[in-house]
Coordinates of all heavy atoms in Angstrom, one line a residue:
M1 N 49.6 -169.1 -14.2 CA 49.2 -169.9 -13.0 C 49.5 -169.1 -11.8 O 50.4 -168.4 -11.7 CB 50.0 -171.2 -13.0 CG 49.7 -172.1 -11.7 SD 50.6 -173.6 -11.6 CE 52.1 -173.0 -10.8
G2 N 48.7 -169.3 -10.8 CA 49.0 -168.7 -9.5 C 49.3 -169.8 -8.4 O 48.6 -170.9 -8.5
A3 N 50.1 -169.5 -7.5 CA 50.3 -170.5 -6.5 C 50.5 -169.9 -5.2 O 51.2 -168.8 -5.1 CB 51.5 -171.5 -6.9
I4 N 50.1 -170.6 -4.1 CA 50.3 -170.1 -2.7 C 50.7 -171.3 -1.9 O 50.1 -172.3 -2.1 CB 49.0 -169.5 -2.1 CG1 48.6 -168.2 -3.0 CG2 49.3 -169.1 -0.7 CD1 47.3 -167.7 -2.4
T5 N 51.8 -171.2 -1.3 CA 52.1 -172.3 -0.3 C 51.9 -171.8 1.1 O 52.4 -170.8 1.5 CB 53.7 -172.6 -0.5 OG1 53.9 -173.0 -1.9 CG2 54.1 -173.8 0.4
I6 N 51.2 -172.6 1.8 CA 50.9 -172.5 3.2 C 51.1 -173.7 3.9 O 50.7 -174.8 3.7 CB 49.3 -172.0 3.4 CG1 48.9 -170.9 2.4 CG2 49.0 -171.8 4.8 CD1 47.4 -170.6 2.4
R7 N 52.0 -173.5 5.0 CA 52.5 -174.6 5.9 C 52.8 -175.9 5.2 O 52.4 -176.9 5.4 CB 51.4 -174.8 6.9 CG 51.1 -173.6 7.7 CD 50.0 -173.8 8.8 NE 50.3 -175.0 9.6 CZ 49.4 -175.6 10.4 NH1 48.2 -175.1 10.4 NH2 49.6 -176.6 11.1
G8 N 53.5 -175.6 4.1 CA 54.1 -176.7 3.3 C 53.3 -177.3 2.2 O 53.6 -178.3 1.6
I9 N 52.0 -176.8 2.1 CA 51.1 -177.4 1.1 C 50.9 -176.3 0.0 O 50.7 -175.2 0.3 CB 49.7 -177.7 1.9 CG1 50.0 -178.9 2.8 CG2 48.7 -178.1 0.8 CD1 48.7 -179.2 3.6
R10 N 51.1 -176.8 -1.2 CA 51.0 -175.9 -2.3 C 49.7 -175.9 -2.9 O 49.0 -177.0 -3.3 CB 52.0 -176.3 -3.4 CG 52.2 -175.4 -4.6 CD 53.2 -175.9 -5.5 NE 53.2 -175.2 -6.8 CZ 53.9 -174.1 -7.0 NH1 54.7 -173.7 -6.1 NH2 53.9 -173.6 -8.2
F11 N 49.1 -174.7 -3.1 CA 47.6 -174.5 -3.6 C 47.9 -173.8 -5.0 O 48.4 -172.8 -5.1 CB 46.9 -173.5 -2.7 CG 46.6 -174.2 -1.4 CD1 47.6 -174.1 -0.3 CD2 45.4 -174.9 -1.1 CE1 47.3 -174.6 0.9 CE2 45.2 -175.4 0.2 CZ 46.2 -175.3 1.2
N12 N 47.5 -174.5 -6.0 CA 47.7 -174.1 -7.5 C 46.4 -173.6 -8.0 O 45.5 -174.3 -7.9 CB 48.3 -175.2 -8.3 CG 49.6 -175.7 -7.8 OD1 50.5 -174.8 -7.6 ND2 49.9 -177.0 -7.7
L13 N 46.5 -172.5 -8.7 CA 45.2 -171.9 -9.3 C 45.6 -171.7 -10.8 O 46.5 -171.0 -11.1 CB 44.8 -170.7 -8.6 CG 44.6 -170.9 -7.2 CD1 45.5 -170.0 -6.3 CD2 43.1 -170.6 -6.8
Y14 N 44.8 -172.2 -11.7 CA 45.1 -172.1 -13.1 C 44.0 -171.3 -13.9 O 42.8 -171.4 -13.6 CB 45.1 -173.5 -13.8 CG 46.1 -174.4 -13.2 CD1 45.8 -175.3 -12.2 CD2 47.4 -174.4 -13.7 CE1 46.8 -176.2 -11.6 CE2 48.4 -175.2 -13.1 CZ 48.0 -176.1 -12.0 OH 49.0 -176.9 -11.6
P15 N 44.5 -170.4 -14.8 CA 43.5 -169.7 -15.6 C 42.9 -170.7 -16.6 O 43.5 -171.7 -16.9 CB 44.4 -168.6 -16.4 CG 45.8 -169.2 -16.4 CD 45.8 -170.1 -15.1
N16 N 41.7 -170.4 -17.0 CA 41.0 -171.2 -18.1 C 40.7 -172.7 -17.4 O 40.6 -173.5 -18.1 CB 41.8 -171.3 -19.3 CG 41.9 -170.0 -20.0 OD1 41.0 -169.1 -19.9 ND2 43.1 -169.7 -20.5
D17 N 40.7 -172.8 -16.1 CA 40.4 -174.1 -15.6 C 38.9 -174.4 -15.6 O 38.1 -173.5 -15.7 CB 40.9 -174.2 -14.2 CG 41.4 -175.6 -13.7 OD1 41.1 -176.5 -14.4 OD2 42.0 -175.7 -12.6
H18 N 38.6 -175.7 -15.5 CA 37.2 -176.0 -15.6 C 36.4 -175.7 -14.4 O 36.9 -175.4 -13.3 CB 37.1 -177.5 -15.9 CG 37.7 -178.3 -14.8 ND1 37.1 -178.7 -13.6 CD2 39.0 -178.9 -14.7 CE1 37.9 -179.4 -12.9 NE2 39.1 -179.5 -13.5
D19 N 35.1 -175.6 -14.5 CA 34.2 -175.4 -13.4 C 34.0 -176.8 -12.6 O 34.1 -177.8 -13.3 CB 32.9 -174.9 -13.8 CG 32.8 -173.3 -14.2 OD1 33.7 -172.7 -13.5 OD2 32.1 -172.9 -15.0
P20 N 33.6 -176.8 -11.5 CA 33.4 -175.6 -10.7 C 34.7 -175.2 -10.0 O 35.7 -175.8 -10.1 CB 32.5 -176.4 -9.5 CG 32.9 -177.7 -9.4 CD 33.2 -178.1 -10.8
P21 N 34.6 -173.8 -9.6 CA 35.8 -173.2 -9.1 C 36.5 -174.1 -7.9 O 35.8 -174.5 -7.1 CB 35.4 -171.9 -8.5 CG 34.1 -171.5 -9.3 CD 33.5 -173.0 -9.4
H22 N 37.9 -174.3 -8.1 CA 38.5 -175.2 -7.1 C 39.9 -174.8 -7.2 O 40.5 -173.9 -7.9 CB 38.4 -176.6 -7.6 CG 39.0 -176.9 -8.9 ND1 38.4 -176.5 -10.1 CD2 40.2 -177.4 -9.2 CE1 39.2 -177.0 -11.1 NE2 40.3 -177.4 -10.6
V23 N 40.6 -175.4 -6.2 CA 42.1 -175.3 -6.1 C 42.7 -176.6 -6.2 O 42.2 -177.6 -5.7 CB 42.5 -174.7 -4.6 CG1 43.9 -174.7 -4.5 CG2 41.9 -173.3 -4.5
D24 N 43.7 -176.7 -7.1 CA 44.5 -177.9 -7.1 C 45.6 -177.9 -6.1 O 46.3 -176.9 -6.0 CB 45.1 -178.0 -8.6 CG 44.2 -178.2 -9.6 OD1 43.7 -179.4 -9.8 OD2 43.8 -177.3 -10.4
I25 N 45.7 -179.0 -5.4 CA 46.6 -179.0 -4.1 C 47.7 -180.1 -4.4 O 47.4 -181.2 -4.8 CB 45.7 -179.2 -2.8 CG1 44.8 -178.0 -2.8 CG2 46.7 -179.3 -1.6 CD1 43.8 -178.3 -1.7
E26 N 48.9 -179.7 -4.0 CA 49.9 -180.7 -3.9 C 50.4 -180.9 -2.5 O 50.8 -179.9 -1.8 CB 51.2 -180.2 -4.9 CG 50.9 -180.3 -6.2 CD 52.0 -179.9 -7.1 OE1 53.2 -180.4 -6.8 OE2 51.9 -179.1 -8.0
V27 N 50.5 -182.1 -2.1 CA 51.1 -182.6 -0.8 C 52.0 -183.6 -1.1 O 51.8 -184.7 -1.5 CB 49.9 -183.2 0.1 CG1 50.5 -183.5 1.5 CG2 48.7 -182.3 0.3
D28 N 53.3 -183.3 -0.8 CA 54.4 -184.2 -1.0 C 54.3 -184.8 -2.4 O 54.6 -186.0 -2.7 CB 54.5 -185.3 0.0 CG 54.8 -184.9 1.3 OD1 55.5 -183.8 1.5 OD2 54.2 -185.4 2.4
G29 N 54.1 -183.9 -3.4 CA 54.0 -184.3 -4.9 C 52.8 -185.1 -5.3 O 52.5 -185.5 -6.4
K30 N 51.8 -185.3 -4.3 CA 50.6 -186.0 -4.7 C 49.6 -184.9 -4.8 O 49.5 -184.0 -4.0 CB 50.3 -187.0 -3.6 CG 51.3 -188.1 -3.5 CD 51.2 -188.9 -2.2 CE 52.4 -189.6 -1.9 NZ 53.4 -188.9 -1.1
K31 N 48.5 -185.2 -5.6 CA 47.5 -184.2 -5.9 C 46.2 -184.5 -5.4 O 45.7 -185.6 -5.3 CB 47.5 -183.9 -7.4 CG 48.8 -183.4 -7.9 CD 48.9 -183.2 -9.4 CE 50.2 -182.8 -9.8 NZ 50.3 -182.5 -11.2
M32 N 45.4 -183.4 -5.1 CA 44.0 -183.5 -4.7 C 43.4 -182.1 -5.2 O 44.0 -181.2 -5.5 CB 43.8 -183.7 -3.2 CG 44.5 -182.5 -2.4 SD 44.3 -182.9 -0.6 CE 42.5 -182.6 -0.3
K33 N 42.1 -182.0 -5.1 CA 41.3 -180.8 -5.4 C 40.3 -180.5 -4.1 O 39.9 -181.5 -3.5 CB 40.4 -181.0 -6.6 CG 41.0 -181.1 -7.9 CD 40.2 -181.2 -9.0 CE 40.7 -181.5 -10.3 NZ 41.9 -180.8 -10.8
I34 N 40.2 -179.2 -3.9 CA 39.1 -178.7 -3.1 C 38.3 -177.8 -3.8 O 38.9 -176.8 -4.3 CB 39.7 -178.3 -1.7 CG1 40.4 -179.3 -0.9 CG2 38.5 -177.6 -0.8 CD1 41.0 -178.9 0.4
Y35 N 37.0 -177.9 -3.8 CA 36.2 -176.9 -4.4 C 35.8 -175.8 -3.5 O 35.3 -176.0 -2.3 CB 34.8 -177.7 -5.0 CG 35.2 -178.7 -5.9 CD1 35.2 -180.1 -5.6 CD2 35.5 -178.5 -7.2 CE1 35.5 -181.0 -6.5 CE2 35.9 -179.3 -8.2 CZ 35.8 -180.7 -7.7 OH 36.2 -181.6 -8.7
F36 N 35.8 -174.6 -3.9 CA 35.3 -173.5 -3.2 C 33.8 -173.6 -2.8 O 33.1 -174.2 -3.6 CB 35.4 -172.1 -3.9 CG 36.9 -171.6 -4.0 CD1 37.5 -171.8 -5.2 CD2 37.5 -171.1 -3.0 CE1 38.9 -171.4 -5.4 CE2 38.8 -170.7 -3.1 CZ 39.5 -170.8 -4.3
S37 N 33.4 -173.2 -1.6 CA 32.0 -173.4 -1.2 C 31.2 -172.1 -1.5 O 31.8 -171.0 -1.7 CB 32.0 -173.6 0.4 OG 32.5 -172.4 1.1
R38 N 30.0 -172.2 -1.5 CA 29.1 -171.2 -1.7 C 28.7 -170.7 -0.3 O 28.9 -171.4 0.8 CB 27.7 -171.7 -2.3 CG 28.0 -172.1 -3.8 CD 26.7 -172.5 -4.4 NE 27.0 -172.8 -5.9 CZ 26.3 -173.6 -6.5 NH1 25.2 -174.3 -6.0 NH2 26.5 -173.8 -7.8
P39 N 28.2 -169.5 -0.2 CA 27.9 -169.0 1.2 C 27.0 -169.9 1.9 O 26.0 -170.5 1.4 CB 27.1 -167.7 0.9 CG 27.7 -167.3 -0.4 CD 27.9 -168.4 -1.2
G40 N 27.3 -170.2 3.1 CA 26.5 -171.1 4.1 C 26.8 -172.7 3.8 O 26.2 -173.5 4.4
E41 N 27.8 -172.9 3.0 CA 28.1 -174.3 2.7 C 29.6 -174.5 3.1 O 30.4 -173.6 3.1 CB 27.8 -174.7 1.2 CG 26.4 -174.6 0.8 CD 26.3 -175.0 -0.8 OE1 27.2 -175.3 -1.3 OE2 25.1 -174.8 -1.1
M42 N 30.0 -175.8 3.2 CA 31.3 -176.1 3.5 C 32.0 -176.5 2.2 O 31.4 -177.0 1.2 CB 31.3 -177.4 4.4 CG 30.9 -177.1 5.8 SD 31.8 -175.9 6.7 CE 33.3 -176.7 6.9
P43 N 33.3 -176.2 2.0 CA 34.1 -176.7 0.8 C 34.0 -178.1 0.8 O 33.8 -178.9 1.6 CB 35.5 -176.1 1.1 CG 35.4 -175.2 2.2 CD 34.2 -175.6 3.0
E44 N 34.1 -178.6 -0.4 CA 34.0 -180.0 -0.8 C 35.4 -180.5 -1.4 O 36.0 -179.9 -2.2 CB 33.0 -180.2 -1.9 CG 32.5 -181.6 -2.1 CD 31.3 -181.6 -3.1 OE1 30.4 -180.9 -2.9 OE2 31.5 -182.5 -4.0
I45 N 35.8 -181.6 -0.8 CA 37.0 -182.3 -1.3 C 36.7 -183.1 -2.6 O 35.7 -183.8 -2.7 CB 37.6 -183.3 -0.3 CG1 38.0 -182.5 1.0 CG2 38.8 -184.1 -0.8 CD1 38.4 -183.4 2.1
G46 N 37.6 -182.8 -3.6 CA 37.4 -183.5 -5.0 C 38.2 -184.7 -5.1 O 38.6 -185.3 -4.1
P47 N 38.5 -185.0 -6.3 CA 39.4 -186.2 -6.6 C 40.8 -186.0 -5.8 O 41.3 -184.9 -5.7 CB 39.7 -186.0 -8.2 CG 38.4 -185.2 -8.6 CD 38.1 -184.3 -7.5
T48 N 41.2 -187.1 -5.2 CA 42.2 -187.2 -4.3 C 43.3 -188.3 -4.7 O 42.7 -189.4 -4.8 CB 41.8 -187.2 -2.9 OG1 41.1 -186.1 -2.6 CG2 43.1 -187.2 -1.9
D49 N 44.5 -188.1 -5.0 CA 45.4 -189.2 -5.1 C 45.3 -190.2 -3.9 O 45.3 -189.7 -2.8 CB 46.8 -188.6 -5.2 CG 47.8 -189.7 -5.6 OD1 47.9 -190.7 -5.1 OD2 48.7 -189.2 -6.3
H50 N 45.1 -191.4 -4.2 CA 45.0 -192.5 -3.2 C 46.2 -192.6 -2.3 O 46.1 -193.1 -1.3 CB 44.6 -193.8 -3.7 CG 45.7 -194.4 -4.6 ND1 46.0 -194.1 -5.9 CD2 46.5 -195.3 -4.2 CE1 47.0 -194.8 -6.2 NE2 47.4 -195.6 -5.3
R51 N 47.3 -192.1 -2.7 CA 48.6 -192.3 -1.9 C 48.6 -191.2 -0.8 O 49.5 -191.2 0.0 CB 49.8 -192.2 -2.8 CG 49.8 -193.3 -3.9 CD 50.9 -193.1 -4.8 NE 50.6 -191.9 -5.6 CZ 51.5 -191.2 -6.3 NH1 52.8 -191.6 -6.3 NH2 51.3 -190.0 -7.0
I52 N 47.9 -190.2 -0.9 CA 47.8 -189.1 0.2 C 47.3 -189.7 1.5 O 46.2 -190.2 1.4 CB 47.1 -187.8 -0.2 CG1 47.7 -187.2 -1.5 CG2 47.1 -186.8 0.9 CD1 46.9 -185.9 -1.9
K53 N 48.0 -189.5 2.5 CA 47.7 -189.9 3.8 C 46.4 -189.1 4.2 O 46.3 -188.0 4.0 CB 48.7 -189.6 5.0 CG 49.9 -190.6 4.7 CD 50.9 -190.3 5.9 CE 52.0 -189.5 5.5 NZ 52.9 -189.2 6.4
D54 N 45.4 -189.8 5.0 CA 44.2 -189.2 5.4 C 44.5 -187.9 6.3 O 43.9 -186.9 6.2 CB 43.3 -190.2 6.2 CG 42.6 -191.2 5.3 OD1 42.6 -191.1 4.1 OD2 42.3 -192.2 5.9
S55 N 45.6 -188.0 7.0 CA 45.9 -186.9 7.9 C 46.4 -185.7 7.1 O 46.1 -184.5 7.4 CB 47.1 -187.4 8.9 OG 48.2 -187.8 8.2
D56 N 47.0 -186.0 5.9 CA 47.5 -184.8 5.0 C 46.3 -184.3 4.4 O 46.1 -183.0 4.1 CB 48.5 -185.3 4.1 CG 49.8 -185.5 4.6 OD1 50.0 -184.9 5.8 OD2 50.6 -186.2 4.0
V57 N 45.3 -185.1 4.0 CA 44.0 -184.6 3.3 C 43.3 -183.7 4.4 O 42.8 -182.6 4.0 CB 43.1 -185.7 2.9 CG1 41.7 -185.2 2.5 CG2 43.7 -186.5 1.7
S58 N 43.2 -184.1 5.6 CA 42.5 -183.4 6.7 C 43.3 -182.1 6.9 O 42.6 -181.0 7.0 CB 42.5 -184.2 7.9 OG 41.7 -185.3 7.7
R59 N 44.5 -182.2 6.9 CA 45.3 -180.9 7.1 C 45.2 -179.9 6.0 O 44.9 -178.7 6.2 CB 46.9 -181.2 7.3 CG 47.7 -180.0 7.7 CD 49.1 -180.6 8.1 NE 49.8 -181.0 7.1 CZ 50.7 -180.4 6.4 NH1 51.0 -179.1 6.7 NH2 51.5 -181.0 5.5
A60 N 45.2 -180.4 4.7 CA 44.9 -179.5 3.6 C 43.6 -178.9 3.7 O 43.5 -177.7 3.3 CB 45.2 -180.4 2.3
Y61 N 42.6 -179.6 4.0 CA 41.3 -179.1 4.1 C 41.1 -178.0 5.2 O 40.5 -177.0 4.9 CB 40.3 -180.3 4.4 CG 38.9 -179.9 4.3 CD1 38.1 -179.7 3.2 CD2 38.1 -179.7 5.6 CE1 36.9 -179.4 3.2 CE2 36.7 -179.3 5.6 CZ 36.2 -179.1 4.4 OH 34.8 -178.7 4.3
R62 N 41.8 -178.3 6.4 CA 41.7 -177.2 7.4 C 42.4 -176.1 7.0 O 41.9 -174.9 7.2 CB 42.4 -177.8 8.8 CG 41.5 -178.8 9.4 CD 42.0 -179.1 10.8 NE 43.5 -179.5 10.9 CZ 44.0 -180.7 10.8 NH1 43.1 -181.6 10.5 NH2 45.2 -180.9 10.7
I63 N 43.6 -176.1 6.4 CA 44.3 -174.9 5.8 C 43.5 -174.2 4.8 O 43.4 -173.0 4.9 CB 45.7 -175.4 5.3 CG1 46.6 -175.8 6.4 CG2 46.3 -174.2 4.6 CD1 47.9 -176.5 6.1
F64 N 42.9 -174.9 3.8 CA 42.0 -174.4 2.8 C 40.8 -173.6 3.5 O 40.7 -172.5 3.1 CB 41.5 -175.5 1.9 CG 40.4 -174.9 0.9 CD1 41.0 -174.5 -0.3 CD2 39.2 -174.8 1.1 CE1 40.0 -174.0 -1.3 CE2 38.4 -174.3 0.2 CZ 38.8 -173.9 -1.1
C65 N 40.2 -174.2 4.4 CA 39.0 -173.5 5.0 C 39.5 -172.2 5.8 O 38.9 -171.3 5.7 CB 38.3 -174.6 6.1 SG 37.5 -175.8 5.2
K66 N 40.6 -172.4 6.5 CA 41.0 -171.2 7.2 C 41.5 -170.1 6.3 O 41.5 -168.8 6.7 CB 42.2 -171.6 8.2 CG 42.7 -170.5 9.1 CD 43.8 -170.9 10.0 CE 44.2 -169.8 10.9 NZ 45.3 -170.4 11.8
N67 N 42.0 -170.3 5.1 CA 42.5 -169.3 4.1 C 41.7 -169.2 3.0 O 42.1 -168.7 1.9 CB 43.9 -169.7 3.9 CG 44.9 -169.7 5.1 OD1 45.3 -168.7 5.4 ND2 45.0 -170.9 5.6
Q68 N 40.4 -169.7 3.0 CA 39.6 -169.6 1.8 C 39.4 -168.2 1.1 O 39.5 -168.0 -0.1 CB 38.2 -170.1 2.0 CG 37.4 -170.4 0.7 CD 36.1 -171.2 1.0 OE1 35.6 -171.7 0.0 NE2 35.7 -171.5 2.2
G69 N 39.4 -167.2 2.0 CA 39.3 -165.9 1.5 C 40.4 -165.5 0.6 O 40.3 -164.9 -0.5
Q70 N 41.7 -165.7 1.2 CA 42.9 -165.4 0.5 C 43.0 -166.2 -0.7 O 43.4 -165.7 -1.9 CB 44.1 -165.8 1.4 CG 45.4 -165.5 0.8 CD 46.5 -166.0 1.6 OE1 46.4 -166.5 2.7 NE2 47.8 -165.8 1.0
L71 N 42.7 -167.5 -0.7 CA 42.7 -168.4 -2.0 C 41.6 -167.9 -2.9 O 42.1 -168.0 -4.2 CB 42.5 -169.9 -1.6 CG 43.6 -170.5 -0.7 CD1 43.2 -171.7 0.0 CD2 44.9 -170.6 -1.6
M72 N 40.4 -167.5 -2.6 CA 39.4 -167.1 -3.5 C 40.0 -165.7 -4.2 O 39.8 -165.5 -5.4 CB 38.1 -166.8 -2.9 CG 37.1 -166.3 -3.8 SD 36.8 -167.3 -5.3 CE 35.7 -168.5 -4.8
A73 N 40.6 -164.9 -3.4 CA 41.2 -163.6 -4.1 C 42.3 -163.9 -5.1 O 42.3 -163.3 -6.2 CB 41.7 -162.7 -2.9
K74 N 43.1 -164.9 -4.7 CA 44.0 -165.3 -5.7 C 43.4 -166.0 -6.9 O 43.9 -165.7 -8.1 CB 45.1 -166.2 -5.1 CG 46.3 -166.6 -5.9 CD 47.2 -165.5 -6.2 CE 48.4 -165.9 -6.9 NZ 49.3 -164.8 -7.1
F75 N 42.5 -166.8 -6.7 CA 41.6 -167.4 -7.8 C 41.1 -166.4 -8.8 O 41.3 -166.4 -10.0 CB 40.6 -168.3 -7.3 CG 39.7 -168.9 -8.2 CD1 40.1 -170.1 -8.9 CD2 38.5 -168.3 -8.6 CE1 39.3 -170.7 -9.8 CE2 37.7 -169.0 -9.6 CZ 38.1 -170.1 -10.2
K76 N 40.5 -165.3 -8.2 CA 39.9 -164.3 -8.9 C 41.0 -163.5 -9.7 O 40.9 -163.1 -10.9 CB 39.1 -163.3 -8.2 CG 37.8 -164.0 -7.7 CD 37.0 -163.0 -6.8 CE 35.7 -163.7 -6.4 NZ 35.0 -162.8 -5.4
E77 N 42.2 -163.2 -9.1 CA 43.3 -162.6 -9.7 C 43.7 -163.4 -11.0 O 43.9 -162.8 -12.0 CB 44.4 -162.4 -8.7 CG 45.6 -161.9 -9.2 CD 46.8 -161.9 -8.2 OE1 46.5 -161.5 -7.0 OE2 47.9 -162.1 -8.6
V78 N 43.9 -164.6 -10.8 CA 44.3 -165.5 -11.9 C 43.3 -165.6 -13.1 O 43.7 -165.5 -14.2 CB 44.6 -166.9 -11.3 CG1 44.9 -167.9 -12.5 CG2 45.9 -166.9 -10.4
Q79 N 42.1 -165.7 -12.7 CA 41.0 -165.7 -13.7 C 40.9 -164.3 -14.4 O 40.7 -164.3 -15.7 CB 39.6 -166.1 -13.1 CG 39.6 -167.5 -12.5 CD 40.1 -168.6 -13.4 OE1 39.7 -168.6 -14.4 NE2 41.1 -169.3 -12.9
D80 N 41.0 -163.2 -13.7 CA 41.0 -161.8 -14.3 C 42.2 -161.7 -15.3 O 42.1 -161.0 -16.4 CB 41.0 -160.8 -13.3 CG 39.6 -160.7 -12.6 OD1 38.6 -161.3 -13.1 OD2 39.6 -160.1 -11.5
A81 N 43.4 -162.2 -14.9 CA 44.6 -162.1 -15.8 C 44.5 -162.8 -17.2 O 45.1 -162.3 -18.0 CB 45.8 -162.7 -15.0
K82 N 43.6 -163.7 -17.3 CA 43.4 -164.3 -18.6 C 42.7 -163.6 -19.5 O 42.6 -163.8 -20.7 CB 42.8 -165.8 -18.4 CG 41.3 -165.7 -18.1 CD 40.7 -167.1 -17.9 CE 39.3 -167.0 -17.6 NZ 38.6 -168.3 -17.4
K83 N 42.0 -162.5 -19.1 CA 41.0 -161.7 -20.0 C 41.9 -160.7 -20.7 O 42.9 -160.4 -20.4 CB 40.0 -161.0 -19.1 CG 39.0 -162.0 -18.5 CD 38.0 -161.3 -17.6 CE 37.2 -162.3 -16.9 NZ 36.2 -161.7 -15.9

């Protein structure tokens, strides 16, 4: 597993995880997913724990978007390590 914590939000990346490519995110112990975007598209918010505040979902999304390149590089590193 690979993990990056940015501004208090933990972004988890797992080898052998299911498609589509995504990041599992923890906010105060609650979980959500954000799917990586294709060129020209915006990332998509996936399943989200109903207990996460809307403001935390928005913050996690903004941080993901700002750091998507770094997160994608870590995702590829984790996926390559499984081979």
Side-chain angles (χ1 to χ4, degrees):
M1 178 182 88
I4 299 174
T5 301
I6 304 171
R7 296 181 55 198
I9 295 178
R10 184 175 171 95
F11 297 84
N12 298 310
L13 302 119
Y14 299 98
N16 300 317
D17 209 350
H18 59 86
D19 282 332
H22 65 279
V23 174
D24 292 281
I25 300 168
E26 288 183 46
V27 181
D28 295 328
K30 300 167 198 85
K31 298 181 180 183
M32 62 181 286
K33 292 184 191 305
I34 297 180
Y35 299 103
F36 287 105
S37 62
R38 294 183 176 152
E41 296 180 3
M42 294 298 296
E44 194 174 311
I45 296 173
T48 301
D49 185 319
H50 70 278
R51 299 172 296 161
I52 297 178
K53 293 186 255 175
D54 289 344
S55 60
D56 286 336
V57 170
S58 295
R59 186 166 70 94
Y61 185 79
R62 284 192 310 273
I63 292 170
F64 177 91
C65 290
K66 186 174 181 181
N67 296 280
Q68 189 171 195
Q70 176 187 3
L71 291 164
M72 179 54 88
K74 186 68 172 178
F75 176 82
K76 289 178 180 179
E77 176 187 316
V78 169
Q79 297 309 310
D80 288 345
K82 74 178 181 184
K83 294 178 184 176

